[in-house]
Amino acid sequence: MTDVVTMDKIVSLCRRRGFVFPSSEIYGGLGSSYDYGHYGVLLKENVKARWLEAMVRDREDIVALDSSIILHPRVWEASGHVSSFSDPLVDCRTCKLRFRADHLAESQCGKRPSKRPGETPECDLTPAREFNLMFETRVGAVEETGTDVYLRPETAQGIFINFKNVAQLARRKPPFGIAQIGKSFRNEITPGNFIFRTLEFEMMEMEYFVPPGEAEQWYRYWIDERRGWYLRFGLRESHLRVRPHEADELSHYSSGTSDIDYLYPIGWSELEGIANRGDYDLRAHSEASGTKLEWVDGVTNERYVPHVIEPAAGVNRSMLAFLCDAYDEEEVAGRERTVLRLHPQIAPVKAAVLPLIGKDSGMVERARSLFEELRGVALVEYDDSGQIGRRYRRQDEIGTPFAFTIDEQTIEDDTVTIRDRDSLAQERISLGRAQGHLLDRLGAPWRSPKPE
Ligand code: GAP
């Protein structure tokens, strides 16, 4: 069976159900920018929460940080971003469009979209030149005396420049890590394939500081850990691969990088990068700032500059992968249903509470009371409008794993049915057990029922 998902179907579902909209739509939209509606926010928050739990709550060797988006401009000189964080671009003098020189094969000519840039006799491309991806702005009230600054293109540098603060205060010795989630900004030229590549996006980055001799071993460890995290939250194994970078692909700071790629509808593409950054960043900031960023053992007085292993994931790209992996269509009793088979811990809404007949005051009363009870422990929705079939279908499309239905029998014997989104099985349980039952099912291991 082939996967039914396409990028168009994901875009359309996200729009229809209010996950993601084009940004600034009433002004005609802004390329590569999106706004997130209610379910998009909830889904994104779940992705971040699961990452933070895995990185910080479930371990003793990683602490959290939230650094500024705008840092001292010298940070970006020292890090190498001012000189090296660029893409090679070409302009077309005929259609006035700009393309990434290394993405020409996947780009469309501005005049004849069926052709690639440079393929028609009218195309007039400039030679490639480097274009820095950082957005610049100014700090200060007065234009002339203001300071040029950058919006951060990665959260990592905020971690490196805080190494001394955190290492002292967190009372951890290498190997230990600092984890951060936050927005980053890149002046991306290549059109984005929905939320895959956008001008602003959220990153989940962790810098793991290790004794230099242990770097390779921790690099391997973090590749396995991060791959395992995606599998745990439901991505199918056949849709994940680890791809080591070729030497000519490596970033300016990296001595080894592997991407975890996901098989998106647009093909295999990067979901997360795990890099061995060596001592590049701590040394660069030590030299530029004059502050020694090194580890000093309080007992033995041993000192060294730790090496850094960095798993760097995109929140939005992870969300897109979870959506693509979950999207499914099937025929049930002669009717088509679209369903998001999301891991229950990733799904935006955990359960729906539905009175079978929305106008029956007895059912409504019991359903409201169950809803009030459940909302104390999980994000649940109450819905009493329209036919029950339609209400189920709406919940299926936003990926709600469970639905409690209050019917005539509930009034008679205080039982309720719980419907499973994936198998469509309905089980009748006592109302008193509903909360415990839901929590058990949300905590249980889950595998995608979609074929590999
Ligand atoms: N500090 C390392 C770093 O910045 P990266 O590979 O450039 O590495 C890490 O970015 C992750 O951030 C990527 O794997 C991807 O998931 C996400 N990402 C990067 N650029 C993005 C963009 N323009 N839009 C959405 N996500 C992006």
Side-chain angles (χ1 to χ4, degrees):
M1 191 161 87
T2 54
D3 211 335
V4 293
V5 66
T6 64
M7 198 61 109
D8 284 346
K9 288 181 184 175
I10 295 292
V11 173
S12 144
L13 175 77
C14 283
R15 166 129 230 155
R16 188 163 75 245
R17 291 299 177 195
F19 282 82
V20 182
F21 327 105
S23 179
S24 314
E25 209 175 6
I26 62 169
Y27 288 98
L30 176 68
S32 302
S33 294
Y34 290 89
D35 295 342
Y36 290 75
H38 183 61
Y39 297 123
V41 171
L42 296 177
L43 178 53
K44 204 147 59 78
E45 289 304 315
N46 288 340
V47 171
K48 290 192 275 183
R50 301 296 83 81
W51 186 87
L52 207 60
E53 283 164 9
M55 286 294 179
V56 176
R57 189 198 66 181
D58 297 348
R59 325 180 42 113
E60 290 181 81
D61 55 349
I62 300 179
V63 295
L65 178 77
D66 184 12
S67 68
S68 302
I69 285 175
I70 297 175
L71 302 175
H72 194 290
R74 287 183 57 210
V75 169
W76 305 107
E77 286 164 21
S79 69
H81 283 79
V82 171
S83 57
S84 308
F85 193 60
S86 55
D87 282 340
L89 296 185
V90 295
D91 288 298
C92 176
R93 297 186 189 94
T94 310
C95 68
K96 310 290 181 221
L97 288 183
R98 183 169 271 186
F99 306 99
R100 261 179 70 167
D102 52 341
H103 286 185
L104 285 181
E106 306 105 68
S107 307
Q108 293 176 329
C109 165
K111 296 263 181 202
R112 291 174 61 188
S114 61
K115 299 279 181 192
R116 309 277 160 253
E119 267 187 356
T120 81
E122 297 85 57
C123 294
D124 184 9
L125 302 184
T126 62
R129 65 201 165 80
E130 291 297 318
F131 175 84
N132 196 290
L133 295 180
M134 286 195 292
F135 282 107
E136 279 184 66
T137 186
R138 282 179 78 72
V139 171
V142 184
E143 182 72 13
E144 298 76 49
T145 58
T147 310
D148 287 329
V149 291
Y150 303 99
L151 300 185
R152 67 179 176 201
E154 62 171 17
T155 64
Q157 298 304 322
I159 297 179
F160 298 128
I161 60 174
N162 275 296
F163 174 78
K164 201 172 168 198
N165 286 335
V166 178
Q168 278 170 357
L169 296 171
R171 298 187 297 127
R172 303 282 197 291
K173 64 184 260 195
F176 78 93
I178 305 177
Q180 163 155 243
I181 299 178
K183 276 223 165 165
S184 292
F185 303 82
R186 296 184 188 180
N187 200 354
E188 301 278 6
I189 298 303
T190 315
N193 274 317
F194 194 39
I195 55 172
F196 180 81
R197 182 176 284 107
T198 47
L199 301 180
E200 58 182 274
F201 54 97
E202 284 177 279
M203 297 179 99
M204 308 181 283
E205 293 197 288
M206 196 277 292
E207 309 302 322
Y208 201 66
F209 300 94
V210 305
E214 297 178 16
E216 184 59 24
Q217 152 200 343
W218 287 110
Y219 173 56
R220 298 278 149 218
Y221 169 88
W222 279 109
I223 293 172
D224 290 347
E225 275 292 298
R226 294 301 304 144
R227 183 174 169 276
W229 184 85
Y230 290 107
L231 292 174
R232 181 151 29 111
F233 291 106
L235 294 192
R236 286 163 298 161
E237 198 159 7
S238 58
H239 284 58
L240 280 177
R241 72 173 185 196
V242 174
R243 188 185 70 84
H245 279 204
E246 303 291 337
D248 62 353
E249 275 183 274
L250 291 176
S251 309
H252 58 275
Y253 51 73
S254 170
S255 51
T257 296
S258 288
D259 286 345
I260 297 181
D261 286 349
Y262 177 73
L263 185 54
Y264 291 93
I266 51 171
W268 285 105
S269 303
E270 177 187 345
L271 176 57
E272 165 159 356
I274 293 110
N276 179 350
R277 297 181 76 126
D279 58 5
Y280 178 92
D281 303 273
L282 291 183
R283 278 201 193 282
H285 288 302
S286 295
E287 272 164 35
S289 68
T291 299
K292 274 193 177 161
L293 300 176
E294 58 181 10
W295 168 254
V296 185
D297 189 306
V299 180
T300 63
N301 243 358
E302 181 199 7
R303 56 180 63 216
Y304 60 85
V305 179
H307 283 211
V308 174
I309 308 304
E310 173 196 68
V315 177
N316 317 67
R317 254 184 222 188
S318 300
M319 170 173 162
L320 183 59
F322 284 120
L323 283 169
C324 293
D325 218 71
Y327 185 94
D328 207 359
E329 293 167 352
E330 67 179 3
E331 206 180 284
V332 179
R335 296 185 66 175
E336 192 72 25
R337 89 166 173 144
T338 300
V339 53
L340 286 184
R341 302 189 191 279
L342 289 164
H343 189 292
Q345 292 179 25
I346 296 287
V349 176
K350 308 304 178 196
V353 181
L354 315 169
L356 183 64
I357 303 168
K359 291 198 175 75
D360 183 301
S361 59
M363 288 187 203
V364 166
E365 192 189 316
R366 279 178 177 70
R368 289 294 312 175
S369 142
L370 178 61
F371 168 66
E372 292 300 338
E373 182 193 337
L374 296 182
R375 76 197 298 196
V377 296
L379 207 139
V380 291
E381 260 189 16
Y382 171 84
D383 186 4
D384 63 12
S385 63
Q387 287 172 358
I388 191 75
R390 233 182 250 146
R391 282 182 268 156
Y392 284 143
R393 243 177 298 287
R394 189 174 160 276
Q395 295 297 335
D396 288 342
E397 282 208 357
I398 62 169
T400 307
F402 307 109
F404 291 97
T405 310
I406 308 287
D407 55 15
E408 289 92 349
Q409 202 175 325
T410 313
I411 318 263
E412 287 163 20
D413 65 5
D414 276 340
T415 59
V416 61
T417 60
I418 177 165
R419 170 188 183 264
D420 182 290
R421 172 200 67 200
D422 296 327
S423 65
L424 294 176
Q426 304 231 16
E427 192 184 341
R428 190 166 279 278
I429 59 171
S430 76
L431 259 181
R433 275 192 55 223
Q435 185 185 111
H437 190 91
L438 177 62
L439 290 177
D440 286 349
R441 301 220 19 201
L442 289 174
W446 183 90
R447 269 178 72 90
S448 173
K450 287 178 74 178
E452 281 283 336

